[in-house]
């Protein structure tokens, strides 16, 4: 599946369109490998990469998001609220230890606050688990490349007549 990603604005291949189906997160950007070029109505197989116009690094980006709020902070807050619910649940109970080392737990009649706190805590605890599981499936970083961003193109090998694609 080819995607149009770049137009060459100047130089020997001015007006050419570069296509890529190979993109991956690399460092603080996206590495884009171009495999096809359309120029003057003809197609060529190419080996070229998008590069940062200033640094010439093989990773481009307009915005980088580390997702730490969604991956770490929100699940931690939900988990903390869940722990608070457990405090409400345990506030209405007593633990009795005997000389023989046996443990007994007794509970009294729960108050409305204890019930509400336990329910809210259970919801928050489950929410925290789901959020943490969902967040573990996300890439650590999200990189956006804005439409119209100026990039460089680094050709790895020369484009020759042998690279022509017949359609």
């Amino acid at each position: 599946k080819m995607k149009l990603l770049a137009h060459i604005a100047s130089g020997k291949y001015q007006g050419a369109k570069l296509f890529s189906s190979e993109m991956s997160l690399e460092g603080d950007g996206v590495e884009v490998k171009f495999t096809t070029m359309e120029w003057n109505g003809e197609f060529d197989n190419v080996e070229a990469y998008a590069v940062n116009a200033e640094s010439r690094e093989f990773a481009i980006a307009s915005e980088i998001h580390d997702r730490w709020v969604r991956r770490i902070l929100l699940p931690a807050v939900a988990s903390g609220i869940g722990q608070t619910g457990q405090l409400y649940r345990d506030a209405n109970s007593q633990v009795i230890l005997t000389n023989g080392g046996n443990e007994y737990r007794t509970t009294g009649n729960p108050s409305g606050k204890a019930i509400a706190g336990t329910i809210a805590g259970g919801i928050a605890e489950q929410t925290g688990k789901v959020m943490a599981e969902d967040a573990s499936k996300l890439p650590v970083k999200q990189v956006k490349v804005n439409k119209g961003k100026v990039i460089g193109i680094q050709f790895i090998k020369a484009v020759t007549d042998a690279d022509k694609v017949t359609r």
Side-chain angles (χ1 to χ4, degrees):
K1 181 173 154 179
M2 295 299 229
K3 296 181 179 180
L4 172 65
L5 288 179
H7 295 270
I8 298 179
S10 63
K12 179 179 178 181
Y13 294 111
Q14 183 175 357
K17 298 175 188 174
L18 291 162
F19 300 85
S20 173
S21 60
E22 298 179 39
M23 293 174 272
S24 61
L25 283 174
E26 296 293 334
D28 284 334
V30 178
E31 181 180 274
V32 180
K33 181 180 180 183
F34 297 106
T35 55
T36 306
M37 178 174 73
E38 180 187 2
W39 186 50
N40 292 333
E42 296 182 354
F43 289 85
D44 295 287
N45 290 319
V46 296
E47 187 176 346
Y49 287 87
V51 296
N52 181 305
E54 290 88 36
S55 69
R56 302 287 187 243
E57 292 178 10
F58 281 69
I60 59 172
S62 298
E63 299 175 37
I64 302 168
H65 301 283
D66 291 321
R67 296 181 168 171
W68 71 272
V69 170
R70 186 167 176 201
R71 289 184 314 105
I72 298 167
L73 186 61
L74 292 178
V77 168
S79 178
I81 294 170
Q83 296 295 320
T84 303
Q86 288 181 1
L87 290 174
Y88 274 98
R89 184 191 67 214
D90 294 342
N92 200 37
S93 63
Q94 289 182 329
V95 176
I96 301 169
L97 295 174
T98 65
N99 289 338
N102 294 325
E103 181 180 304
Y104 298 96
R105 180 178 291 259
T106 62
T107 58
N109 290 327
S111 68
K113 282 174 108 178
I115 292 170
T118 302
I119 290 170
I123 291 169
E125 186 175 1
Q126 184 61 29
T127 300
K129 287 177 184 176
V130 170
M131 290 173 76
E133 185 179 317
D134 288 350
S136 71
K137 296 174 186 173
L138 293 172
V140 174
K141 292 185 183 209
Q142 177 186 33
V143 177
K144 293 183 180 180
V145 180
N146 295 335
K147 184 177 182 178
K149 177 173 178 61
V150 175
I151 61 170
I153 306 293
Q154 176 69 54
F155 285 88
I156 302 303
K157 66 179 191 79
V159 180
T160 66
D161 287 338
D163 296 313
K164 295 275 184 247
V165 176
T166 52
R167 295 207 172 225

